[in-house]
Amino acid sequence: MNSHSAKKTTRSNAEVVKRFVGYSTSSWGLAVHVVLAIFSGGLFEFIGPCYPQTKIWTMRQSPLSKAEYVWTELINGQWKLLKVVESTSQLTGMQQTKDEPNLDVKVHRAIRLLLVWYVYNAESDTFMPLMDMPDDICVQIHNARKALDLIDTGADWSILSSTKAWSCKKQMQLDGTNDMTIGKPSFAKMTCFMLAYPLYVVQYIELAYVAYQGGYSYAVLLLVITVVSACTAVTAQFKKQMALFKVITKQLLVPIVRNGVVRAVASHSLVPGDVLVLLRGKASCDMVLLRGSCLVEESMLSGEAAQARKSRYVPENGREVWRYHPDTHHSCTIHAGTFVQQVWNEEDPEDEVLALVVRTGFNSTMGNMLRQIVCPIDSVKWKQDPFLLDYLWFCSFALGLQLCVLMLFLSSIRWHHPSNAYIAKRLLDMLIAAAPTGVPTVTTFALGRCMRQLGRRRIDVLRPEKIKNLADVQVVCLDKTGTLTGSVPNLHGVVLVEGGHFTALLNAATSWNNRFKQAAAVCHALTFVSRNRVVGDAAEQEIFNAVEAHFVDRNQVALPLQTGPRKAYGTAHLHILKRFEFEELLLRSGVLVVDDNGEVDTALVFIRGAPIIVEQLVKNSSIPTDYRQVVDSYSMQGYRLLALAGGVVHGVEQLHLGSMTLPQLEARTHNIRLLGLIVLTDHVRHDSRETVQHLQDSAAMRTVMMTGDYQLTSVAVARSIGMVPPGGRVVIILSRSESLNPKGALKSAKLASTPASARAVSWQSEAQDPIVEGVPARAGQGLMFQLDNGDPFENGDSTRALTAIAQGQAQCCITGPAFEHLLQQADVAALDVVMRNAVVFARMQSQQKAQALQLFSVKGLHQMLHGTLRHIPVRPTSCIALLC
């Protein structure tokens, strides 16, 4: 921890914490605390963690700058008492280096909340959360890349370690290590916490009263049953936490470059800025590739078997180096928890593949997921617990009935003058009857049985209170690809562009022209593993096999092409000079290749991406006049489309391919022409319609689709699975920049480049009820409204369109750029209408999906993501999904 940590504020303080209150111990308070601990036989020490309020009254309030403890109020109303930890460091700013060791020692005060360190900031007089990675990580990446360039010219490897501003020991103090140990779960402690539940405390008082009245056998028997039921419920939870603990505490040996030599160190000791030699195996931290490429299996991130090819990080225009973030630069980032299947260096096969550590521990991708499981922010305190609230409502109703009966009883015996002891006994009996002693035991036993039944269906429950929350779910958010449709699309055919016009749908590859075959053979994410093994997306492999292409080696592809006046077939060899992986911000990928039969010092450029994106890059003369009509026609039938374009680059030997980005290459490319469209079939899963209907009809839940696919394709799938009723109208909400300015789609996509965790999204509509009478006149400014058949809705009047949607005359589908536009508006009336009536969120980036889910939570709508590889069998008594 260091003084510059106050600047590390990627996580907004307002997202988790409402306020901090400082407390310090006093001599008399400490004495009282010791006396209570002695006289209670240690019970007071046990109650303290469960009820931190018991410690507060023995302390005195003090400024945060001098506080020993911090009383923290979270956004969910929960309170936590945290002890302040003090540490010292000689570093006072990011500008310091190893040459400045004699600086004033400064004391840093910090607390740890939800596995995140908060450091006291004197300027704002509050505790600020540490950044998820060092704020100079971009500088370290830049320095490491420069050092590698010098090493290639003959410099010593020791200069790579000298790029770090601090020693490893200081780096550990600044940003922590890669250790994610959270403490071994204790069965006894978990059982004690279960028995300290407020419902059990009430039951203990009742059992004591029953024993006082002489019912010793009943009290002892019920107490034994209570302990057994608590142990039974804790057992299943304990097993899951132990399995999680074993995964977290597992250590690996990692080769890192330090002081010019490669050393093997434990993965738990890695710190941001370390340069390691990437090998096959599980990634233990988030890393950015500095040299070489690799193939990564990322099922941990998406829930689906997905393999991604990663290449080294190349900043755009020399400026993007200062904007690197692992959440937005996926093509060069290896996330913690993913599995590296293969590594290689295209420039020098004998050279190592190097990566720089950017995030470690609970700040990494896997660590953040574990933190949400172990210390969830949305956990509620006991006074908001659903089981406790239901119990209190039941007891209140029963107590009201008892009071009515008691009033009648007292009115009938008022002339008999009963004693005070008799009246007190009747009151206690009434309270016991209103709060039955066996309710907590039965509830715990039922919870344990429910958890075991869910476990048989491969649904793990780490937080039992979420079982009750299933009854309150109103919205279920579903992904399209891999959830509602199959994860492997099939090739339906291609539509070529010849003479400025589209051809008919062509299924046989023999009718494809040579340039399109070349693009299909090299413009993909397939990776050559061995002579008989190529890995990657199944649809890409189908296209690759359709043109009868094969890998000669990792960077050379051979395929048969028609040559000569007689159209005889000959083998063409394409050498891949550089691949440009798919980027979420660009929405396209590309490749630079050299044809053996082509002109000297000339290369071919092929680009593949969404039709609306590729349309902006190609020459207008190559775009058919019915381009949008053809794209919309296939999309409305539920097909997925990819556009292919190609051009020529001259002077290849003068290109700096190592530092070139795809936009830079496109700027150097001549005559980029549209080659055609690839039409893919997304088969709807056989159980999707049944599951959606069960959610809507039996469970009375609203279903919402969130996807990155084209809006018309998404709406077509929503209609086919019953999300949209037969004959129902769907209004597509677009940003005006998507239609008036084709490049507006790119601009809007860049607006969302900030990670969702770094953006404060709020939806504080004053109206708790839906808007049905009308919306403000300027609420829909900047938006366009049209039906999914292309007709304008309400003549394009945004106010009338939003009002009609709010009144239930039509459902709506909103695109990612339009959703981003609504987030930037001060008036949330339009956003309120969309969030209440949207059935599809299309062309959504990952950050935008997270923001939409956050908005559902802010408004009190519970959301669940169904990311399993198969649907849960639909039964009348079964749960469809579980939020843990």
Side-chain angles (χ1 to χ4, degrees), residues 651-834:
V652 178
E653 296 180 356
Q654 300 176 3
L655 298 179
H656 300 284
L657 297 180
S659 60
M660 178 167 284
T661 62
L662 182 56
Q664 292 174 343
L665 179 62
E666 293 166 350
R668 296 284 301 271
T669 305
H670 301 281
N671 195 25
I672 302 179
R673 305 185 64 84
L674 181 67
L675 302 179
L677 301 174
I678 300 176
V679 185
L680 302 174
T681 303
D682 255 348
H683 296 287
V684 176
R685 297 174 57 159
H686 67 280
D687 53 352
S688 294
R689 187 177 184 86
E690 182 184 5
T691 302
V692 170
Q693 289 180 348
H694 181 80
L695 289 171
Q696 294 177 340
D697 300 336
S698 302
M701 297 178 184
R702 172 185 162 201
T703 55
V704 175
M705 180 193 300
M706 289 189 181
T707 178
D709 288 346
Y710 191 55
Q711 55 266 21
L712 293 180
T713 303
S714 306
V715 172
V717 173
R719 286 187 180 277
S720 65
I721 62 177
M723 280 189 173
V724 179
R729 296 192 300 174
V730 177
V731 179
I732 298 179
I733 303 177
L734 304 167
S735 171
R736 287 194 179 274
S737 61
E738 297 180 69
S739 178
L740 300 179
N741 180 14
K743 294 187 178 180
L746 279 178
K747 180 180 179 181
S748 181
K750 289 187 177 181
L751 290 175
S753 61
T754 305
S757 60
R759 302 194 57 182
V761 182
S762 60
W763 174 29
Q764 303 296 338
S765 176
E766 296 180 358
Q768 296 297 323
D769 299 324
I771 301 174
V772 294
E773 296 182 357
V775 296
R778 301 175 61 87
Q781 187 176 9
L783 300 177
M784 295 183 61
F785 300 82
Q786 65 181 36
L787 295 174
D788 56 337
N789 60 4
D791 296 335
F793 181 66
E794 296 292 343
N795 295 323
D797 189 322
S798 59
T799 303
R800 291 172 53 190
L802 287 173
T803 303
I805 294 173
Q807 293 174 349
Q809 299 179 21
Q811 293 175 296
C812 68
C813 163
I814 187 170
T815 64
F819 179 72
E820 187 73 26
H821 173 79
L822 289 180
L823 291 180
Q824 297 174 354
Q825 304 304 308
D827 191 345
V828 297
L831 182 63
D832 185 87
V833 173
V834 169

Side-chain angles (χ1 to χ4, degrees), residues 267-333:
S267 59
H268 285 194
S269 63
L270 292 175
V271 294
D274 279 340
V275 177
L276 54 85
V277 179
L278 189 63
L279 301 176
R280 295 179 58 185
K282 185 177 180 181
S284 57
C285 58
D286 290 350
M287 301 170 283
V288 57
L289 274 176
L290 298 177
R291 171 180 289 178
S293 304
C294 64
L295 182 68
V296 182
E297 203 276 326
E298 295 185 329
S299 59
M300 186 276 297
L301 299 179
S302 61
E304 304 170 6
Q307 294 169 318
R309 188 173 57 209
K310 308 287 185 177
S311 57
R312 71 170 185 167
Y313 172 60
V314 179
E316 181 180 352
N317 298 328
R319 296 176 297 176
E320 294 288 332
V321 66
W322 315 114
R323 298 175 54 187
Y324 168 81
H325 197 282
D327 292 337
T328 55
H329 294 77
H330 295 287
S331 64
C332 58
T333 301

Side-chain angles (χ1 to χ4, degrees), residues 511-529:
S511 56
W512 303 352
N513 57 49
N514 286 349
R515 186 54 58 90
F516 191 91
K517 287 183 179 180
Q518 291 176 326
V522 295
C523 194
H524 49 65
L526 299 180
T527 302
F528 173 79
V529 177

Side-chain angles (χ1 to χ4, degrees), residues 33 42-56 71 78-82 189 192-193 196 382:
H33 186 86
L43 183 61
F44 186 77
E45 288 295 323
F46 169 73
I47 295 177
C50 301
Y51 301 93
Q53 295 88 342
T54 57
K55 289 186 176 181
I56 289 297
W71 185 246
Q78 191 176 9
W79 289 89
K80 290 184 177 293
L81 184 63
L82 307 172
K189 187 176 181 180
C192 291
F193 271 98
W382 283 339

Side-chain angles (χ1 to χ4, degrees), residues 185-195 234 237-238 241:
S186 171
F187 181 82
K189 187 176 181 180
M190 294 174 63
T191 304
C192 291
F193 271 98
M194 173 71 77
L195 294 176
V234 168
Q237 191 176 359
F238 174 74
Q241 292 194 10

